[in-house]
Amino acid sequence: MKKNTEDFLVSLYTTMYKIRNFEEQAIKLYRQGHIRGYFHPYLGEEAIATGVCAAMDGKDYITSTHRGHGHCLAWGADLKIMFAELLGKENGYCKGLGGSMHIADYTKNNLGANGIVGSGVPIAVGAALGISIRKEKQMVSTFVSDGGSNIGSFLEGLNLAAAWKLPVLFVIENNQYAVSTRIEDSTAETELYKRGIGFGLESVRLDGNDVLEVHKIAKSFIERCKNGEGPFLMECVTFRKSGHHVNDPGLYLPKEKVDYYKLHDPLLIGKKHLIELAGLSEIDIVEIEKVAMAEIKAAIDFAIKSPEMSEENFLKFVEEY
Amino acid sequence: MVNVLNAARELMYREALNEALKEEMDRDDKVFIMGEGIAERGGSYKVTEGLLEQFGSKRVFDTPISENGFTGAGVGAALTGMRPVVEILFVDFTMLILDQLINQAAKFRFMSGNTARVPMVLRTQGGVGNGLAAQHSQSLEAIFYHIPGLKLVMPSTPFDAKGLLKAAIRCDDPVIFIEHKLLYMNKGEVPEEEYIIPLGQADIKKEGKDLTIIAWSGMVPKVMEAAEILMKEGINAEVIDPRSLVPLDKMTIINSVKKTEHVLIVQEAVRRGGVGSDISSIIQEEAFDYLDSPVKILGGLNIPCPFNLNLEKMVVPQVEDIVRAAKEVVYSE
Ligand SMILES: Cc1ncc(C[n+]2csc(CCOP(=O)(O)OP(=O)(O)O)c2C)c(N)n1
């Protein structure tokens, strides 16, 4: 196995591991009262953001959702600044003013999580519109989930991007539930990639828990976007490993599905790739995890010790509104 | 004025709303409810719990995340004889349905020369909570207040919530019914026997003589707390809750102003362009000669709501702010 393939697989796994443990640690912080408000964990969906973002480069753009921590981390966000934002601290990505549902990094082309389902989609289309006017070799990936695929913003965004032939990759994270509503109860066509076909986009449905499969398809669509062949749509089938938000035990999730996805877990699949394709041992993997975990712990420490914005600084903002 | 009849039991705000829905659905088969997660899950704030079991899935059902679409479906059903109660999870999301509310529902009665009616209730929920940040913490009543053709109700107590929701469902015009996320667990007396509170009747939550404080929704409990503190400091405030902002019970407000000669309006919404400004202008037009000092409006800061909890407290009036503002009004000479 070539060294660069090994490195690549390790980096995919490391990213997924960091997302998983960022969320799990942040949930602990939530329970301890360090984090308040809404917090929608990306647990179980790590392979999607990881596979897609690994196929993009820093000049491209992403828009995210209310379940956005994974997208930010896969895009390369700094763990320290992420935790600081979740804790409402002044050195967080949004100075503690945005919080979990609004993390963004406009300096690095992360156009942000969004508290309004679907609203990131037309914004992604607009970023792509700018790219096409400027004639740059860039593209935009926009994440949305199954519930969000029923809202006008998404459907209008699809049509606009297709009509204007824009470099957008629509990534549907089909976790099969919108809060407690089953996908079967909210749409008569549950194979969501067909929404793309209906608007004239080349669209595929794939296993969203297999990071290599996600990456392979994303890579081809992204390259083709940059060659002016966009837009494209990929429907990544996945499942939430938790309730809708930290305070939802998710009791409505059927046991058979929960059990199936326990085994069909993106991290387990990623581990399998490391062992079978990169020839790593369990011990090698434990080492990788240790390093990542140390980074997470240090980031938490940093966030807890960081100061909040003072009233005085906040009032300076007020003056400008 | 309707008052607590047989002051027997206490209910939470959300339970009172639930009872109103049950009673009205029981009374009239044309009443049905739809919204996100309202059926099996019983709603984010449990307001619709038990309704699916009692009334079945034809009259209690979950919608896809298609707010503009299902609100429009509510308008169409209402226009053709049904009485939908449509739930939008957060008032912030009503920004997605403004065409159906403002260009459609609010206009049909008028545009049809009074032949069409839209008896729909749009239930939603607003206000600052605990760290829900800028897109889930707004108070947007001024937008609806501005539109002729919409009624606007914002109850502050379980008793008011129940009586007003029943009136809203029976109303033949579209009613925007905005609850407050911090009130759902508040308890208050609600009589066993049926009652209705007509839209357009303010309630005097506390009688007083030195100052009129006007507040609605989530600000009412804070104003009541402030009034107690003021009482100890020798200021006897009268607290008026309009309960419905459209129609607005001007008489109760003006009569109170004539008595106290001092007015403080407290609104959670940002200060600029709020309902408070309009109430203030009504008072100046209709009771200027009685005023002993300028009408003061204490509103939210003109800024989106920050996520950080300490900063969040700064953007909406707190009890101390209300006490301070009240003193400014009374001692302003
Ligand atoms: C326009 C809008 N409607 C409703 C909500 C409330 N809400 C937040 S997340 C959510 C479910 C979203 O489901 P889905 O798009 O499938 O994403 P998932 O939570 O499964 O990742 C809802 C209804 C919202 N934030 N915005």
Side-chain angles (χ1 to χ4, degrees):
Chain A
M1 181 65 33
K2 281 211 214 78
K3 180 74 181 129
N4 50 0
T5 312
E6 182 187 324
D7 287 350
F8 176 64
L9 291 175
V10 167
S11 89
L12 291 181
Y13 182 75
T14 307
T15 301
M16 292 198 293
Y17 181 86
K18 278 186 188 167
I19 297 172
R20 171 72 49 95
N21 287 278
F22 176 90
E23 297 292 46
E24 285 181 350
Q25 294 298 318
I27 290 170
K28 278 190 198 151
L29 292 169
Y30 196 98
R31 305 261 177 260
Q32 292 163 5
H34 287 291
I35 301 176
R36 302 290 286 273
Y38 276 126
F39 174 162
H40 306 96
Y42 197 63
L43 295 169
E45 307 184 19
E46 296 89 346
I48 305 170
T50 302
V52 171
C53 292
M56 299 173 69
D57 67 55
K59 292 208 315 280
D60 300 333
Y61 294 89
I62 59 167
T63 71
S64 166
T65 66
H66 59 285
R67 197 176 299 289
H69 306 161
H71 307 133
C72 293
L73 289 169
W75 189 243
D78 184 319
L79 285 164
K80 296 195 291 300
I81 310 178
M82 284 287 292
F83 274 118
E85 187 59 32
L86 254 55
L87 269 65
K89 300 301 180 74
E90 192 169 21
N91 49 12
Y93 272 108
C94 311
K95 301 190 164 61
L97 299 178
S100 163
M101 251 190 315
H102 306 297
I103 298 193
D105 183 357
Y106 293 94
T107 66
K108 298 244 164 69
N109 294 4
N110 172 356
L111 305 183
N114 210 307
I116 309 298
V117 169
S119 290
V121 174
I123 290 169
V125 172
L129 185 61
I131 292 169
S132 95
I133 293 170
R134 296 191 305 269
K135 298 197 176 83
E136 308 253 23
K137 260 203 173 335
Q138 292 168 291
M139 58 79 64
V140 189
S141 290
T142 180
F143 296 92
V144 68
S145 189
D146 47 289
S149 77
N150 293 318
I151 200 159
S153 295
F154 171 74
L155 297 163
E156 293 177 28
L158 269 185
N159 186 54
L160 288 173
W164 294 339
K165 301 188 171 47
L166 297 177
V168 184
L169 175 58
F170 293 85
V171 183
I172 301 183
E173 306 180 309
N174 180 1
N175 61 22
Q176 310 172 50
Y177 278 81
V179 194
S180 61
T181 305
R182 287 177 296 271
I183 182 169
E184 297 81 10
D185 294 335
S186 62
T187 179
E189 179 49 83
T190 56
E191 295 195 346
L192 301 176
Y193 76 101
K194 291 181 185 164
R195 284 169 169 49
I197 291 174
F199 286 99
L201 284 79
E202 188 174 328
S203 306
V204 295
R205 178 176 165 98
L206 57 128
D207 180 355
N209 282 13
D210 182 340
V211 69
L212 278 185
E213 192 174 336
V214 172
H215 179 263
K216 187 177 81 196
I217 290 171
K219 190 165 186 300
S220 135
F221 281 166
I222 287 164
E223 277 171 15
R224 290 173 61 195
C225 270
K226 292 184 186 178
N227 288 332
E229 296 172 55
F232 298 97
L233 182 147
M234 53 197 277
E235 175 193 356
C236 306
V237 180
T238 184
F239 197 67
R240 268 185 347 231
K241 268 185 94 70
S242 67
H244 173 64
H245 54 68
V246 273
N247 292 328
D248 169 19
L251 300 175
Y252 47 83
L253 298 173
K255 188 172 172 328
E256 321 80 74
K257 285 213 174 185
V258 173
D259 288 347
Y260 172 77
Y261 281 99
K262 226 174 240 161
L263 297 177
H264 197 66
D265 179 301
L267 269 81
L268 290 181
I269 296 171
K271 222 180 226 181
K272 209 164 134 242
H273 294 325
L274 286 182
I275 293 168
E276 290 174 5
L277 302 177
L280 264 64
S281 68
E282 292 277 356
I283 298 171
D284 297 331
I285 296 172
V286 170
E287 268 319 302
I288 293 167
E289 293 177 351
K290 254 196 217 156
V291 174
M293 197 48 144
E295 204 187 319
I296 288 172
K297 294 279 184 194
I300 293 172
D301 210 41
F302 169 88
I304 288 177
K305 287 185 184 137
S306 294
E308 298 182 5
M309 185 184 288
S310 65
E311 294 193 2
E312 205 184 334
N313 281 355
F314 180 64
L315 288 173
K316 280 190 211 138
F317 268 90
V318 180
E319 283 165 22
E320 291 173 21
Y321 280 75
Chain B
M1 170 107 346
V2 195
N3 225 319
V4 178
L5 310 168
N6 263 349
R9 47 169 202 160
E10 292 217 315
L11 288 186
M12 282 191 263
Y13 186 84
R14 64 172 161 84
E15 294 169 328
L17 290 163
N18 181 271
E19 257 191 18
L21 290 168
K22 272 194 184 136
E23 289 178 11
E24 291 308 297
M25 291 184 77
D26 212 21
R27 187 186 60 81
D28 183 352
D29 301 338
K30 297 211 162 62
V31 179
F32 72 94
I33 63 175
M34 60 173 154
E36 291 163 20
I38 61 142
E40 234 171 281
R41 198 161 57 94
S44 295
Y45 293 94
K46 299 190 181 1
V47 172
T48 53
E49 233 171 29
L51 296 181
L52 172 66
E53 290 73 12
Q54 192 171 340
F55 299 103
S57 60
K58 277 277 168 208
R59 293 175 67 202
V60 180
F61 53 92
D62 289 342
T63 59
I65 307 177
S66 308
E67 280 84 358
N68 193 44
F70 71 75
T71 303
V75 175
L79 203 50
T80 50
M82 301 300 287
R83 290 193 172 263
V85 180
V86 177
E87 178 179 314
I88 296 287
L89 287 170
F90 283 77
V91 75
D92 314 70
F93 313 159
T94 64
M95 298 302 98
L96 299 168
I97 61 170
L98 290 183
D99 170 58
Q100 288 298 339
L101 293 182
I102 294 179
N103 296 327
Q104 313 298 331
K107 302 293 190 287
F108 286 136
R109 178 177 172 186
F110 178 81
M111 293 190 305
S112 68
N114 232 3
T115 56
R117 300 306 286 266
V118 182
M120 177 175 99
V121 179
L122 192 289
R123 277 188 50 241
T124 187
Q125 160 275 117
V128 163
N130 284 307
L132 302 187
Q135 293 176 339
H136 288 71
S137 302
Q138 298 175 91
S139 295
L140 297 172
E141 62 268 25
I143 289 172
F144 303 111
Y145 181 85
H146 186 67
I147 304 300
L150 298 177
K151 307 269 190 277
L152 176 58
V153 179
M154 296 185 74
S156 69
T157 66
F159 177 79
D160 293 349
K162 179 174 176 187
L164 287 164
L165 183 53
K166 285 170 69 83
I169 293 171
R170 295 184 195 191
C171 176
D172 288 332
D173 293 314
V175 180
I176 311 298
F177 193 95
I178 309 179
E179 298 152 19
H180 193 291
K181 56 175 73 66
L182 293 185
L183 295 179
Y184 285 114
M185 308 285 270
N186 283 11
K187 284 190 171 167
E189 286 176 355
V190 178
E192 300 272 359
E193 56 270 45
E194 194 180 8
Y195 66 96
I196 284 206
I197 302 173
L199 307 187
Q201 283 189 5
D203 189 35
I204 300 175
K205 295 291 179 202
K206 174 188 171 304
E207 293 202 14
K209 59 177 181 42
D210 300 328
L211 158 79
T212 299
I213 307 182
I214 301 164
W216 53 93
S217 191
M219 284 294 112
V220 174
K222 286 187 177 171
V223 165
M224 293 301 278
E225 236 184 277
E228 258 180 56
I229 297 169
L230 288 165
M231 197 70 162
K232 286 185 196 128
E233 302 190 17
I235 297 176
N236 185 2
E238 177 144 300
V239 179
I240 295 187
D241 177 356
R243 303 192 291 196
S244 78
L245 296 172
V246 182
L248 182 69
D249 180 358
K250 291 187 199 173
M251 277 295 289
T252 301
I253 293 171
I254 300 297
N255 287 341
S256 176
V257 174
K258 287 181 179 171
K259 176 169 72 171
T260 67
E261 300 172 357
H262 296 87
V263 185
L264 170 65
I265 302 170
V266 183
Q267 77 181 21
E268 178 166 343
V270 298
R271 170 69 176 76
R272 185 162 62 220
V275 173
S277 304
D278 196 56
I279 295 178
S280 163
S281 81
I282 291 169
I283 293 169
Q284 322 245 17
E285 276 173 9
E286 302 193 16
F288 183 79
D289 291 339
Y290 295 88
L291 288 173
D292 204 29
S293 63
V295 173
K296 184 169 179 65
I297 302 174
L298 178 65
L301 297 183
N302 294 325
I303 195 162
C305 184
F307 166 66
N308 177 290
L309 276 188
N310 292 318
L311 303 179
E312 181 193 86
K313 285 203 189 78
M314 290 175 66
V315 301
V316 291
Q318 304 294 325
V319 175
E320 317 79 79
D321 305 320
I322 299 167
V323 169
R324 199 178 319 119
K327 287 184 191 163
E328 269 172 45
V329 173
V330 173
Y331 301 134
S332 79
E333 282 84 354

